[in-house]
Each structure stands twice: as structure tokens, then as C-alpha cells.
Amino acid sequence: SVFVGHNNFNGEIPLEIAQCKNLKEFQCDASHDIGGPIPSAFGMLPELTFLKLDTCAFTGTLPMSLGNLQKLSFLDVNSNDLKGQIPSQLGKATSLKTLGLANNNFDGSIPSEMGKLVDLEKVYLQNTDLTGDMPQQMCDLRNRGNETVLEVLWVPCEVTCDLDTCCTDCS
């Protein structure tokens, strides 16, 4: 595990992170001088279960390679300066339970592939530039009778989503 949050480090995460094949947890949060692009090399870490990169200075797009992480259960990139669309490949990270993408500049629609993440418990997409309709596949994760797993689905109010049966909040 690597925990380097709440510090005065600056710069970017080195691409050599890809050499840490047994890395299970990486946390760098509330470090406003660490930024640049999120290395796609994170997608080459097959044992990674926890990736927390919130409240830093990350820019660019969310790497498609994060979809390669079959063991990833927690992904939080809230409160950065990320942009572009949410990669549909993220729907392949089937162990995800918590997904935090809020307070960024993501745009476009929410990929229907996200509905393949049947273990999702919490999804934070608020305060982004996402628009369009919430995919029915995501709503289905909230409407599974007694097997409801998805407890939080917080979206921008510009996303069309029923707050009674699908999304839990909007802002």
C-alpha cells in the first residue's frame, strides 16, 4: 500500500508505478500540488483494489485502462480538473463498489456499460457537466427487489433521472 495524502509533495505520479505489480492500495488525496494526467499505468496493476486520488490537481481524461482492473473495488477521483467522457471501459472493472467522479468537468452521457457493475454501492457524479438520460441499466441496479445494492446514485440535475426510483439525489 502507498498512502501519500495530505502532504506538500508536488509534481506527477511517475509512470514507473506500473512496476509495482503487487500494489493493492494507492491513496493520494488532498495534495493540491500533485497533478498532471492520471497515469494509464494504474491499469497495469492487476492487484489494485483501492485507488483514491481526490482533491488534487489531476487534469486530462480518466484513463480507459482503469477498466482492466478486475479487483478494483474503490475508485475516487473527486474534486480534480478532469474532463472528457467517462470511459465505457470502466464498465469492465466489475468489482467496483464505490465510484467517485464528482466535482470534475466530465461531459457527455453516462455510459450504459456502467450498468454491468452489479456490485456498485455508491456512485458520485454530481457537480460535473454530464447530461442526457440515466441509462436504464444503472436504474436496474437500484431496483432489484430485496437485493438492492446501489444505495447512492448522486448525479448532476442535468441528467434525466427519476429521483423516486433511480437516482438518490442531484446537484
Side-chain angles (χ1 to χ4, degrees), residues 55-70:
T55 320
C56 293
F58 291 105
T59 58
T61 59
L62 195 63
M64 291 185 284
S65 63
L66 295 178
N68 297 335
L69 300 174
Q70 296 298 303

Side-chain angles (χ1 to χ4, degrees), residues 7-14 28 31-37 56-58:
N7 64 62
N8 292 318
F9 295 150
N10 60 45
E12 298 181 3
I13 297 173
C28 175
S31 300
H32 302 285
D33 293 324
I34 295 180
C56 293
F58 291 105

Side-chain angles (χ1 to χ4, degrees), residues 108-119:
S109 58
I110 298 165
S112 61
E113 290 84 356
M114 302 291 285
K116 296 177 182 175
L117 302 175
V118 297
D119 291 333

